[in-house]
Amino acid sequence: MMDKKNVSIMDTKEKDVLQERTPTVTIDASIISNAAHTVDKPSKEEAAFVVQYEEEVNVIPQHKSYEEIEKDIPYYIKGHKRNIFHALPGELREYILKTAKQIDAPEEIIFMSILAASSAAAGNSLKLKLKPSWIEKAIFFCGVIAEASSGKTPATKAALKPLINHQLHLKKQYDQDMLQYEQNKADFEAHKKEKNQKGTKPSQLVPTPKKPPFSQVIVQDATIESLREVFMYNTRGILLYADEMSGWLNSLNQYKGGKGNDKQQWLEIYNGGMLTYNRVGKEPLIIEEPFISIIGGIQTEIAHKLLNADNEADGFSARFLFVKPETNVIRSSFLEEVEGYEAYAKHYELIINVLLSISSNTEPLVFTEDAKTYFALKNDELKEKQRNAATANTWRAVYGKLNTYAARLCIVLHALTYANNKILYKNGHLQEEPILNEIDIQTVVNVWEYLIPYFEEELKAIYKEQELTVDEKTIKVILEKFDGFLNKEKVFLTKDEHKAVLFSDLYNSQPFGRQSKSKTKMDLEGFALRNPHFCKIETCIPEGKNRNGTYFILNKNYVPEFEI
């Protein structure tokens, strides 16, 4: 393994030539319209995806050593979870840290949402040519596993805001086009009526107006059925944002009595393959290169819906990158304002808009020679893990998809670095203009040394948790709840020094997901009766309290028989 102290993006040659910035820099609109390295202007086809505006961005380039980055990472982000901050450009690292603190939401959810947003923004315009027979697109299926009220929605929406803003821009443009279309249609009908009266065919004189397509970059309620027309008019790329992924899972085959092939078509979409829709009384509809990435949240208690045996057997669940972030932490108070947040949020929006403006005529990306050699070496190592996987059905599939995601992560990380450096170059902070078409060794190293191990460890923990019994899963959830209560100073000690929380606080925190308080209370009472070695519910007076209360008490001598 390479020395991690020498593999940060911010230690590359480009970062060594950063110039001292002026206090305030105005981003010229040409950054957006001329972002593609290989073309001067966007084609007419992709003009709808270009947002031209000026922003004042007060962002200081972040070029830090491995040790300096480590000091910036919050204490509660431990082990492999720290990897993401070493892989990303420094400006994006700052954006994640400041946004998490500003909205008090998990950093890892923001990171995952950035991956999804940037993959959809670049879409079919960026493809990686690994071999003549292997062309990869950066399609991502991303899932966030976390309990209710853990910050999933605000964290995801913060990272998707540039796409949402762009969608609003496209809607405004569509409304204007529709007004013009209605006017043209009225003029055509009037002209048609007039010419018919004179015996002249109107089509010879005035063309029939065409209804403008509705361009989309983000959808929320999308079944395979509803995506047909979306794919027809949006060939670049789309993001499916499923705030509650369980709803999307339940929608599979809902129009076919559960006997359709929706899942098989999603498998094909993940592979970037062609979709064919056979329509009654019409010609088949062929979508040559559908591109849609997914980001969604699913509660810990119902993750089994996605990670069940059926979805493991056909490789559906293996196509998802999952994270389970640290949620039991208070990152900031309500009144706290995070210095620099607005500037980094604007900088991030510019990054996404640069990606949106990359031409669809861009040549496929290629590795530099040293990057290709390193990728091949790590690819072979992961294949060896795949062959030696102890759990054949699950982990051979997971390792196989991690190999695929390694290539896709190279595309996205390169795209984010390119767009970030494009802005820095335009503002005079970099002397050399970034190159779009070549992925360098630093990007490949960051993917293999940081991101792949990060996702491997996340997936191991998540899949291992699915093997636990119901009560073992409940023990893990309750211990996580206690950690959260400890941060909120709601944990007390009994006279025998057992940890305790008010029973009402525990069942109000919904440890079993969204169900009634009375049902949760009853389930917890039953759980406590079955697991006296772990806990008990009793009325007592904890240390520092002067009156009785009903408490949920953990046995301080409890030793788990499974990995926590």
Side-chain angles (χ1 to χ4, degrees), residues 14-34:
E14 290 80 4
K15 297 302 180 184
D16 292 335
V17 296
L18 287 172
Q19 295 178 337
E20 184 177 358
R21 69 176 303 283
T22 52
T24 304
V25 177
T26 300
I27 300 295
D28 188 83
S30 63
I31 295 176
I32 306 302
S33 59
N34 298 328

Side-chain angles (χ1 to χ4, degrees), residues 340-375:
Y341 163 71
E342 291 290 343
Y344 280 98
K346 289 177 181 178
H347 184 83
Y348 169 62
E349 184 160 13
L350 282 175
I351 288 175
I352 295 300
N353 278 280
V354 169
L355 298 183
L356 282 164
S357 67
I358 293 175
S359 170
S360 59
N361 298 321
T362 301
E363 290 294 317
L365 307 176
V366 294
F367 288 130
T368 59
E369 283 304 313
D370 53 353
K372 185 175 182 179
T373 300
Y374 189 81
F375 187 94

Side-chain angles (χ1 to χ4, degrees), residues 67-91:
E67 291 82 3
E68 289 172 322
I69 294 171
E70 277 291 303
K71 291 179 182 178
D72 289 344
I73 303 172
Y75 72 92
Y76 50 80
I77 299 176
K78 301 174 183 177
H80 70 276
K81 291 179 177 290
R82 303 173 76 84
N83 285 9
I84 60 176
F85 297 100
H86 290 286
L88 294 173
E91 293 70 36

Side-chain angles (χ1 to χ4, degrees), residues 404-415:
T404 299
Y405 269 121
R408 297 182 182 191
L409 284 165
C410 284
I411 298 173
V412 167
L413 186 55
H414 170 71

Side-chain angles (χ1 to χ4, degrees), residues 76 90 183 388 426 525:
Y76 50 80
Q183 182 61 53
N388 296 331
K426 286 289 184 177
E525 290 169 342

